[in-house]
Each structure stands twice: as structure tokens, then as C-alpha cells.
Amino acid sequence: MTAGCALLLLAGCGADRGREPAAGDRGTPAQSSEQEDGPSTSSAEQSGPWDLVLTDVRLSRRRGGERIVLELDGTGVPGWSVAYTDVAVLDGSGETLDLRGDVVLDIYASGTVAPGAEGYRGGRRVVPAGAGRVTDLHVVGTFEGHTQVLAGIAGGQVPFRVRALGDPTRLVVDLGVDTTSP
């Protein structure tokens, strides 16, 4: 477990019915973690048997922040490692990628397998329309049980909260949120 990481394990995967939680709504988190003051990192282990496949990546803007959603299909609760970095490095190859933004948010969903014919069909790179802190998203792919997505962030580091939600399974990264509120 990474030092400086607040890890909060919550029980159950209730019926979320596929909706995105509203601001302040905790949804049906199976796991939740919030960035603390200090290192800009959040992590949690996947739980149960797993064979999760990335099926969609979305960005939404909401009052006070932005949300990056990695939707997954399969069995298990994803783990994650999310941290700020200055350089976007592609897992597996070690190559660097030029992303728009001042810092990079490096997002890993763990407990994942490489997609087959029915897996992720979205674009590798998403340039969000309109003004916002997230300026660039790049889906790197899956390597050794981890799916990597890189996000270019304008204006430097902002607080974030990471949650694994169920029904459908997804990893949610909320940026610019008040991490002290429930």
C-alpha cells in the first residue's frame, strides 16, 4: 500500500442500475479512496476473482470538477493505482507520449485482461471538447493485469477521489472534488 494513501473499504455492490452518481452521491462503491495532503497518489487492490475488460472510457464535466469513468465488463472489483506524474510513460514499452496539459494523471485499473473481439472499441485518444482541466485522454491498453489510461491535466495537480462502483462495474476518478466531504 502506498504511503499517504487513504484507503477505505466499503461493503457490497448494491444496485446502482448503471447511473453515474450525482455530486455528493457515493453510488455503490465497493472500494473508495481519496487523495490526502502530501503525495498525489491513490491505490487499492482488486478483490475476488477477476477477468475485467475495459469497454468504455468517458469524461464528463460537472459543477466543481470533472469525472473520468473506465467502464469494465466481467467479474470482480477492480483495484487501482492513480498518481500524478510529469511525463506520460506507456506501460510495457516505456515510450513517452506527448499529452496536452501541465501534468499527467496516470490511471491504472487492476484485475483486468486484454480485450478480445468484444472488448474495448473506443478510440485510443480522446481530446475533450470545451474548456476544462482534463485536456487529453489516452487509452494505453492492458499489460500484465493492468489497464492504463493517461489524462493530461491543465493548471497543475488538483485533488481527486477514486471509487470502484458496481452494476455496471466501473472505476471512477473525480477531479477537483472536496475530498473531506463524505
Side-chain angles (χ1 to χ4, degrees):
M1 166 103 71
T2 305
C5 168
L7 179 60
L8 179 62
L9 294 177
L10 302 173
C13 287
D16 183 73
R17 303 294 177 240
R19 69 177 174 83
E20 292 302 323
D25 182 0
R26 298 211 46 97
T28 56
Q31 295 180 340
S32 178
S33 179
E34 299 173 1
Q35 171 188 335
E36 290 184 335
D37 293 350
S40 302
T41 303
S42 174
S43 64
E45 295 293 321
Q46 75 268 2
S47 63
W50 51 269
D51 63 355
L52 298 167
V53 174
L54 180 68
T55 58
D56 192 18
V57 176
R58 299 186 297 279
L59 172 68
S60 61
R61 297 204 161 108
R62 44 190 71 230
R63 190 176 67 204
E66 293 170 87
R67 173 172 286 164
I68 299 169
V69 177
L70 282 64
E71 190 161 323
L72 304 156
D73 190 26
T75 307
V77 175
W80 65 82
S81 174
V82 179
Y84 282 109
T85 183
D86 294 326
V87 179
V89 178
L90 306 178
D91 194 21
S93 72
E95 294 177 31
T96 60
L97 179 68
D98 185 31
L99 288 179
R100 295 179 329 136
D102 299 308
V103 295
V104 175
L105 191 61
D106 198 357
I107 304 167
Y108 285 92
S110 61
T112 60
V113 296
E118 299 302 316
Y120 181 70
R121 296 182 185 270
R124 286 271 181 217
R125 192 161 202 166
V126 178
V127 178
R133 294 193 70 97
V134 178
T135 56
D136 211 346
L137 280 171
H138 184 86
V139 178
V140 176
T142 303
F143 181 72
E144 295 183 350
H146 297 84
T147 297
Q148 182 185 25
V149 175
L150 296 163
I153 309 295
Q157 297 182 13
V158 295
F160 63 86
R161 176 178 40 223
V162 181
R163 298 177 286 170
L165 301 175
D167 197 18
T169 302
R170 59 208 184 282
L171 186 64
V172 176
V173 180
D174 286 316
L175 294 145
V177 296
D178 176 5
T179 62
T180 61
S181 64

